[in-house]
Amino acid sequence: MRKGCSKFFLEDERQFERWNDSAIKSLKAEFKLFKDVVVLSLMHPWERDARLLKKALKKGPPHYNVIVEIACTRSSDQLLGARKAYHSLFDRSIEEDLASHVKGSERKLLVALVSAYRYEGPKVKEDAAKSEAKALLNAIKNNNGDHKKAAMEEDEVIWILTTRSKPHLKVVYEQYKKISAKTITEDLEVELLLKETVECLCTPQTYFTRVFDTALREDAKEDAKKALTRLVATQEDVDLKGIATKFEDKIKERVKGAYKDVLLGVLADDRK
């Protein structure tokens, strides 16, 4: 076995064959990623999302983007199922936990997002979308004297993003682009949580592409790799074929073993 896996062993000056510590460290990391993607894939989607929500809440503000991702990329019924699973697993509601642990304007946004049960039909009110695009532009550009007010503090911004259907919000996004020199996400560069909310609701492919790109860099951090694992394991209903073409070579180059096979397999399925 050692001869067949020679890259994991080194021979020192005494001709003693020992582990290559660096290679073994990489192997352990690969096994952990593989284990995580398998466990997440096998779990019931409602339980999986409930546990991911709980973990993100415990880890605090740097991980609130996971709550946004789940709340904004799931269907209304999937999100409702995750809330039911949260009740069963933790004897509390996710809304309770968010309200008691999250502070400031982030609390208002996150509680409203997880509580949403959006209309999922195709009908869109064009006039309302145009009006709401103007309201978002005014809120984002709003300047009260010398102090610029964060868009997340505006009730109308929260109302629009947490109650309107995704087809409606995509029209709002396009209307905003027409009346502003930039897209909504470009204007929200300093409000990252709100920016990710808009991305997940209006341009999810942009969000997914960024997750892949960040995780597949040579200097990728552990959280970025976990985000990719979460994405691959949870986005069964998402068409990733555009991402597959862009990142297949990077996956082959930078990911190893069984975890690489899982990533390539998921992307291959999306191209069928």
Side-chain angles (χ1 to χ4, degrees):
M1 184 176 178
R2 285 200 302 273
K3 287 178 181 178
C5 304
S6 58
K7 67 179 179 179
F8 295 121
F9 299 91
L10 290 173
E11 202 173 83
D12 64 16
E13 64 276 7
R14 300 181 185 84
Q15 295 186 322
F16 177 74
E17 196 176 65
R18 62 177 180 81
W19 274 5
N20 180 339
D21 290 334
S22 176
I24 294 298
K25 184 178 179 181
S26 296
L27 183 65
K28 286 180 178 178
E30 175 204 318
F31 281 163
K32 187 179 185 309
L33 289 169
F34 177 66
K35 180 206 75 173
D36 289 347
V37 76
V38 169
V39 170
L40 286 174
S41 298
L42 292 176
M43 214 180 297
H44 190 287
W46 295 359
E47 179 183 359
R48 179 185 63 210
D49 283 347
R51 291 190 182 280
L52 288 170
L53 287 167
K54 184 70 169 179
K55 185 181 289 187
L57 188 55
K58 277 187 174 182
K59 288 187 173 182
H63 297 270
Y64 288 167
N65 65 304
V66 177
I67 300 172
V68 167
E69 180 187 306
I70 292 171
C72 297
T73 63
R74 306 301 191 258
S75 70
S76 294
D77 284 334
Q78 288 170 337
L79 182 57
L80 180 61
R83 289 163 61 195
K84 289 179 178 179
Y86 200 98
H87 293 174
S88 296
L89 291 168
F90 308 115
D91 297 317
R92 293 172 66 85
S93 72
I94 179 61
E95 295 91 337
E96 281 181 273
D97 279 349
L98 283 170
S100 60
H101 289 89
V102 181
K103 307 301 179 186
S105 54
E106 289 180 337
R107 173 167 57 190
K108 189 189 298 185
L109 173 68
L110 293 176
V111 170
L113 284 175
V114 301
S115 304
Y117 192 86
R118 300 174 191 272
Y119 165 69
E120 294 188 330
K123 292 184 179 179
V124 173
K125 295 180 180 178
E126 294 282 345
D127 290 342
K130 290 178 182 178
S131 174
E132 287 162 15
K134 290 177 183 177
L136 286 177
L137 179 63
N138 290 336
I140 292 170
K141 303 284 189 180
N142 184 35
N143 196 323
N144 294 334
D146 295 328
H147 303 287
K148 190 168 183 179
K149 190 177 181 181
M152 201 186 298
E153 295 175 10
E154 296 282 359
D155 288 341
E156 194 163 17
V157 172
I158 302 297
W159 173 78
I160 293 168
L161 293 179
T162 61
T163 64
R164 288 304 198 183
S165 72
K166 292 175 185 177
H168 182 94
L169 288 172
K170 287 176 182 178
V171 175
V172 172
Y173 186 91
E174 291 303 319
Q175 290 297 326
Y176 186 103
K177 198 173 177 180
K178 289 179 181 178
I179 61 176
S180 173
K182 297 179 179 179
T183 65
I184 302 176
T185 49
E186 287 172 334
D187 277 338
L188 288 171
E189 283 298 332
V190 296
E191 294 191 59
L192 293 181
L193 199 64
L194 203 57
K195 175 186 175 181
E196 290 186 335
T197 300
V198 173
E199 277 187 343
C200 288
L201 289 169
C202 303
T203 59
Q205 290 289 331
T206 301
Y207 175 80
F208 298 145
T209 298
R210 184 154 51 80
V211 170
F212 268 78
D213 183 55
T214 305
L216 293 172
R217 293 174 185 169
E218 290 185 8
D219 59 347
K221 295 181 179 178
E222 193 64 26
D223 283 342
K225 294 177 182 179
K226 287 180 180 179
L228 178 57
T229 298
R230 183 181 65 248
L231 183 66
V232 168
T234 63
Q235 296 295 335
E236 304 100 330
D237 301 329
V238 174
D239 182 4
L240 297 174
K241 59 187 174 186
I243 299 175
T245 304
K246 185 174 181 180
F247 290 101
E248 188 171 6
D249 289 341
K250 274 191 178 181
I251 291 171
K252 289 178 179 177
E253 176 189 342
R254 293 178 185 168
V255 184
K256 299 175 183 177
Y259 184 59
K260 176 176 74 175
D261 294 339
V262 170
L263 293 183
L264 292 175
V266 169
L267 296 179
D269 285 343
D270 280 307
R271 288 200 300 269
K272 290 179 181 177

